[in-house]
Amino acid sequence: MVNISAVIADKYPHFIYFCATSESGQDQHGGWRESEERWQLAGKGREETDGKGNNTPAAGGTITTFAATIYLPQGFPRIPEGAQVVVANEAVDTAGIATAEARQALTRSGVIRISGICQKFDPGRLHSRLWL
């Protein structure tokens, strides 16, 4: 008998994190509050590096060159274009990736595979894809 969770774990071995930014606005007393950045785990996926620098059509008829394609299971939450994304080989504390220096240290140690800006998110019928 096939263990479905083992198959899914093999198919999607990487942890996908993104930075959600809240909009600035006014509080109930009329004072302005600044936007906040909050890193969160979106789920698991599979990152494949694109060494050829392929192009993909993006919004507004532009062509985007990307460094990696990330394959995600069906029903994966949408990551907004322009959001910062981190793909890690293992689970990390979101506070540990909040600064650029921390992300660079984790990249040097091999914990983070790739980080970048979401260029495009494509929710498909069978799986979703994200391009960095």
Side-chain angles (χ1 to χ4, degrees):
M1 180 157 210
V2 175
N3 183 351
I4 294 298
S5 36
V7 171
I8 291 172
D10 288 341
K11 188 173 182 179
Y12 300 112
H14 307 125
F15 294 84
I16 315 299
Y17 297 88
F18 78 102
C19 185
T21 305
S22 66
E23 294 185 18
S24 59
Q26 289 182 310
D27 62 16
Q28 65 269 21
H29 303 293
W32 287 94
R33 66 179 193 289
E34 293 188 27
S35 62
E36 292 181 1
E37 290 185 346
R38 181 176 39 93
W39 283 92
Q40 61 188 41
L41 174 66
K44 293 188 78 173
R46 183 179 76 251
E47 182 267 339
E48 292 184 4
T49 302
D50 179 19
K52 298 180 288 187
N54 283 327
N55 298 321
T56 186
T62 60
I63 301 295
T64 302
T65 303
F66 55 91
T69 304
I70 302 168
Y71 296 93
L72 309 163
Q74 183 181 17
F76 197 87
R78 183 176 194 83
I79 294 179
E81 293 170 359
Q84 292 179 315
V85 177
V86 166
V87 180
N89 288 320
E90 58 192 60
V92 296
D93 181 18
T94 54
I97 58 174
T99 65
E101 295 82 18
R103 289 190 299 275
Q104 288 172 355
L106 288 171
T107 301
R108 284 191 299 273
S109 69
V111 173
I112 292 179
R113 294 178 60 85
I114 190 168
S115 62
I117 303 297
C118 174
Q119 300 295 323
K120 183 177 177 181
F121 185 92
D122 178 34
R125 281 187 72 200
L126 302 176
H127 66 270
S128 297
R129 293 177 293 177
L130 178 137
W131 288 274
L132 292 183

